[in-house]
């Protein structure tokens, strides 16, 4: 991964006008650094995917990674599971992400069955899958599109299949939410981001990344048909849920 070491400095100088955040070439070039310094628990969540797959994934089943970015989840799974254990399909809307993901996965795990598709996860023609990953992707869809997607994913899962949903969350209680957001900004400062970077990124993400509450996520999963869901990880205002299809 030749460019993976670029440090995220996108919002480090004052911008006349902060544009809406998008997954363009500039973001792709520093994405591994950006996500590692911006998402509390990102590495821990990735590290558990293989462990969860070992318990829940039928041998040889398909894994969809929706909004796969650079394919970090595919790499994590391939690092733990043998090639015959799963068939990975990453999907992303950003052409820059897709081409870098293909390069990385082809060179890092040539033995595994891996493909990366450029497409919109809202309209993709899903094939049956044993595991579906949505790591920090649902939050970027317009809220009105989220229920229908979740119903389609429930339909695509095989009986016994699982969905992993990792998201930035909003606490239902205003005071609790304010505390979590303030400590999240402290977390970013501790990871080397300046106040200017934190505030310009916040502006860029406004109305682009729209977080739901944990309660709303669990209610949506139930409504989509999942018999059970639980929050298995939380670190400040970031969480990961698992939902089970009977
Ligand atoms: C925060 S990143 C996901 C990080 C990634 N899952 C990981 O673990 O490294 C969100 C990704 O979702 C993609 N995305 C957003 N909306 C999408 C859509 N409708 N269809 C497919 N991909 C989408 C973006 O291009 C971006 O790469
Ligand atoms: O920087 C933030 O405020 C974030 O919410 C982090 C976050 C995310 O959660 O998806 C936002 C954009 C980038 O894709 C990477 C991480």
């Amino acid at each position: 991964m030749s460019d993976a070491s670029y440090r995220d400095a996108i919002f480090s100088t004052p911008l006349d006008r902060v544009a809406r955040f998008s997954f363009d070439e500039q973001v792709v070039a520093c994405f591994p650094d950006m996500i590692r310094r911006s998402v509390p628990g990102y590495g821990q969540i990735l590290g558990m995917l293989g462990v969860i797959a070992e318990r829940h994934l039928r041998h040889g089943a398909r894994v969809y990674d929706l909004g796969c970015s650079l394919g970090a989840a595919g790499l994590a799974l391939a690092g733990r599971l043998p090639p015959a254990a799963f068939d990975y399909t990453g999907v992303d809307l950003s052409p820059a992400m897709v081409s870098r993901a293909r390069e990385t996965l082809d060179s890092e795990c040539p033995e595994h069955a891996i493909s990366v598709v450029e497409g919109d996860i809202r309209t993709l023609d899903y094939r049956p899958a044993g595991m579906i990953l949505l790591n920090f992707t649902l939050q970027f869809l317009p809220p009105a599109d989220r229920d229908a997607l979740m119903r389609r994913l429930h339909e695509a899962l095989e009986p016994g299949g699982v969905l992993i949903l990792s998201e930035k969350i909003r606490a239902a209680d205003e005071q609790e939410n304010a505390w979590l957001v303030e400590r999240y900004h402290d977390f970013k400062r501790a990871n080397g981001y300046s106040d200017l970077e934190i505030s310009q990124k916040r502006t860029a993400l406004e109305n682009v990344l729209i977080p739901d509450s944990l309660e709303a996520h669990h209610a949506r999963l139930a409504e989509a048909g999942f018999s059970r869901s639980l929050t298995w990880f939380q670190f400040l205002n970031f969480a990961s849920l698992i939902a089970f299809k009977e």
Side-chain angles (χ1 to χ4, degrees):
M1 293 209 286
S2 53
D3 296 337
S5 56
Y6 279 135
R7 190 166 168 87
D8 168 23
I10 294 178
F11 299 102
S12 60
T13 51
L15 302 165
D16 289 340
R17 202 189 133 268
V18 178
R20 279 168 66 85
F21 186 84
S22 79
F23 294 95
D24 56 14
E25 297 279 358
Q26 193 192 19
V27 167
V28 169
C30 65
F31 191 71
D33 176 72
M34 172 188 282
I35 196 152
R36 193 182 49 78
R37 288 200 288 137
S38 305
V39 174
Y42 177 68
Q44 285 162 301
I45 292 171
L46 286 185
M48 277 304 287
L49 297 177
V51 175
I52 294 172
E54 280 170 345
R55 291 288 175 195
H56 290 286
L57 186 65
R58 178 179 63 73
H59 186 78
R62 173 174 292 99
V63 176
Y64 275 117
D65 182 9
L66 305 180
C68 64
S69 295
L70 300 178
L75 274 182
L77 288 173
R80 187 156 183 105
L81 305 176
F86 69 103
D87 201 317
Y88 172 92
T89 303
V91 185
D92 207 286
L93 199 52
S94 155
M97 285 291 189
V98 168
S99 64
R100 278 286 304 280
R102 282 188 186 134
E103 265 173 44
T104 307
L105 292 167
D106 282 354
S107 69
E108 303 278 322
C109 22
E111 306 291 315
H112 286 77
I114 281 181
S115 63
V116 184
V117 175
E118 186 185 317
D120 191 323
I121 60 171
R122 291 168 293 182
T123 52
L124 193 78
D125 200 3
Y126 289 98
R127 296 168 68 191
M131 188 172 188
I132 299 181
L133 311 174
L134 267 170
N135 284 328
F136 310 105
T137 300
L138 191 71
Q139 58 192 19
F140 289 104
L141 297 192
D145 296 345
R146 297 177 186 181
D147 292 0
L149 173 69
M150 219 45 96
R151 282 196 292 269
R152 295 196 62 217
L153 300 184
H154 178 264
E155 229 169 84
L157 273 175
E158 299 167 351
V162 290
L163 176 107
I164 303 281
L165 173 64
S166 310
E167 289 269 294
K168 188 181 206 174
I169 52 160
R170 178 182 59 74
D173 178 85
E174 282 301 319
Q175 259 187 317
E176 190 180 315
N177 192 57
W179 188 90
L180 290 170
V181 170
E182 283 160 21
R183 296 299 77 74
Y184 173 53
H185 292 160
D186 290 342
F187 168 92
K188 283 188 152 187
R189 275 181 209 105
N191 282 338
Y193 284 116
S194 67
D195 289 350
L196 179 68
E197 286 178 293
I198 294 168
S199 104
Q200 293 193 137
K201 174 95 178 270
R202 197 180 187 181
T203 304
L205 285 171
E206 214 149 291
N207 299 319
V208 175
L209 189 173
I210 303 170
D212 281 323
S213 64
L214 278 176
E215 294 79 357
H217 282 302
H218 286 290
R220 179 181 294 118
L221 289 165
E223 202 271 327
F226 287 95
S227 51
R228 225 156 36 94
S229 66
L230 61 96
T231 305
W232 67 271
F233 183 90
Q234 185 174 350
F235 185 167
L236 297 176
N237 52 338
F238 286 77
S240 189
L241 288 71
I242 183 166
F244 303 89
K245 170 147 175 181
E246 268 180 358

